[in-house]
Amino acid sequence: MQELIIEATKSSPQIHFDPAGHVLEMSGESYPENAAKFYAPVFDWLGRYLAGLGEEQVTVNLAISYFNSSSSKALMNLFDMFDEACRTGRRITVNWRYDPDNETAQECGEEFKEDVCDLPFNLVACGPGQP
Amino acid sequence: MSGSGLFAREEEVIRRAEELLAAALPPGPGAGEEFTSLLADYRKLLNQARRLVRISDMMQEDLNRLNTKLADLSSQDGLTGLANRRRLDERLADEWRRAIRGREAFSLVMIDIDHFKRFNDTYGHAAGDECLKAVAAALAATLQRPCEFVARYGGEEFMAVLPETPHAGLLLMAERLRAAVEALDIPHATSPTAGHVTVSLGAASLVRVERDANLSTLCQAADQALYEAKAQGRNRAVGAVLDPEAATGPGSCTCG
């Protein structure tokens, strides 16, 4: 399976999903004009990846400092997808990275964390510029 | 944006519910399970919708705060913290309209730091900046009513706007502004006027602002009074009073 790389733009995050290392990373801001269109290939890739996934430990690193409402819905769907995969035996951990000065990013992380049941979800404070 | 991608699960709940309704009635033995499952999905999605709204509100709150901060920054003079020229023009126009409605007196004071170029040449630009900040703070602290304000007009020039202030009060206020700067006692060794930093002030008042009154006429009168204060030896306030007839005529609400 090929890795998924999407370069960041002013209004969309950088995405780097590495299926060999099982590290999925997404960072930046997310307010694309059409969130459904932007995230469609991401969900498509994830669907195929999760379908072929075994017992390997997957690490999902997210550092999204600002996102619009459509993107937050897309993130909810993303976490639902991982949550469902965990329920059926996959090993996935999400690290929600936020700048400790950005209270909103932390509180949003808490909302996402509370929405999932079986998916391990860590809130990780880290300075700006850190991966 | 089409919601079909992002809201696929919501649409699926509706599709299943519609299917159940369309199925043969009365409900078969499996219907209870179906409804339970539907209800669970609905609860899950409703919770999610609540979270999404909270998240959206938080983001919006951040943007509102940022918006307020930017509005403040764009209306403030970066060095002195006073209203900048843009804000001056806005507030002056607002106060002027208010004065027209109330047919009230209206006063302006143009304030200029004496021999400021020499101050900069003598003490350097960093000291010049400090001098501007100190003078700005002294002027602002002297004004007391909420409708009064002082703005940085440009360079070493300031403008105090004093709505509802008649001429007698204006001269008193101009003298207070002058004295407040003198009391700072900032050394100015190369000033021919005094050994410390001083200001010259040109004050102009309109007895009553009529509907056809012209703000730029009042500004010009303040400018002219400032010129006279300079000509008379600086470190002083000169006042001009305009009667309503003298200040009428066409013109826009900007000073220059």
Side-chain angles (χ1 to χ4, degrees), chain B residues 155-229:
Chain B
E156 69 272 26
E157 272 198 307
F158 302 89
M159 181 188 264
V161 177
L162 309 165
E164 297 172 46
T165 301
H167 198 64
L170 173 63
L171 290 180
L172 201 67
M173 182 52 85
E175 172 51 27
R176 264 191 219 146
L177 291 167
R178 190 205 61 76
V181 173
E182 187 151 49
L184 291 172
D185 201 18
I186 302 170
H188 191 345
T190 51
S191 166
T193 305
H196 49 266
V197 169
T198 57
V199 288
S200 297
L201 306 93
S205 60
L206 191 55
V207 174
R208 196 173 62 248
V209 183
E210 300 285 2
R211 184 152 299 280
D212 56 354
N214 187 342
L215 178 55
S216 50
T217 307
L218 187 63
C219 292
Q220 281 157 20
D223 251 347
Q224 184 58 36
L226 174 61
Y227 179 80
E228 277 167 32

Side-chain angles (χ1 to χ4, degrees), chain B residues 125-143:
Chain B
H125 285 278
D129 283 352
E130 290 308 311
C131 174
L132 285 168
K133 283 202 261 187
V135 168
L139 296 174
T142 306
L143 302 182

Side-chain angles (χ1 to χ4, degrees), chain A residues 34-35 66-67 69-70 72-74 76-77 80 104 107-108 111 114-115, chain B residues 1-2 5-7 9-10 44 48 51-52 54-56 58-59 62-63:
Chain A
N34 187 337
Y66 174 79
F67 43 88
S69 302
S70 298
S72 60
K73 176 59 176 161
M76 284 286 189
N77 291 353
D80 274 351
T104 300
E107 283 177 28
C108 290
E111 290 286 352
E114 284 166 22
D115 197 59
Chain B
M1 189 193 90
S2 154
L6 291 178
F7 295 93
R9 273 188 77 173
E10 285 80 352
K44 157 88 189 161
Q48 213 176 67
R51 291 186 198 288
L52 287 171
R54 279 201 292 271
I55 286 173
S56 178
M58 283 190 274
M59 289 288 178
D62 274 6
L63 290 180

Side-chain angles (χ1 to χ4, degrees), chain A residues 12-77:
Chain A
S12 63
Q14 180 191 313
I15 292 174
H16 185 189
F17 289 176
D18 171 16
H22 300 291
V23 176
L24 316 183
E25 290 188 321
M26 195 151 97
S27 61
E29 301 195 337
S30 179
Y31 51 99
E33 202 173 311
N34 187 337
K37 193 173 162 201
F38 176 80
Y39 283 103
V42 178
F43 284 107
D44 182 58
W45 189 96
L46 280 173
R48 285 183 285 121
Y49 171 69
L50 292 174
L53 188 65
E55 298 261 295
E56 305 92 328
Q57 172 63 50
V58 180
T59 305
V60 182
N61 293 322
L62 300 173
I64 314 286
S65 54
Y66 174 79
F67 43 88
N68 64 4
S69 302
S70 298
S71 296
S72 60
K73 176 59 176 161
L75 288 171
M76 284 286 189
N77 291 353

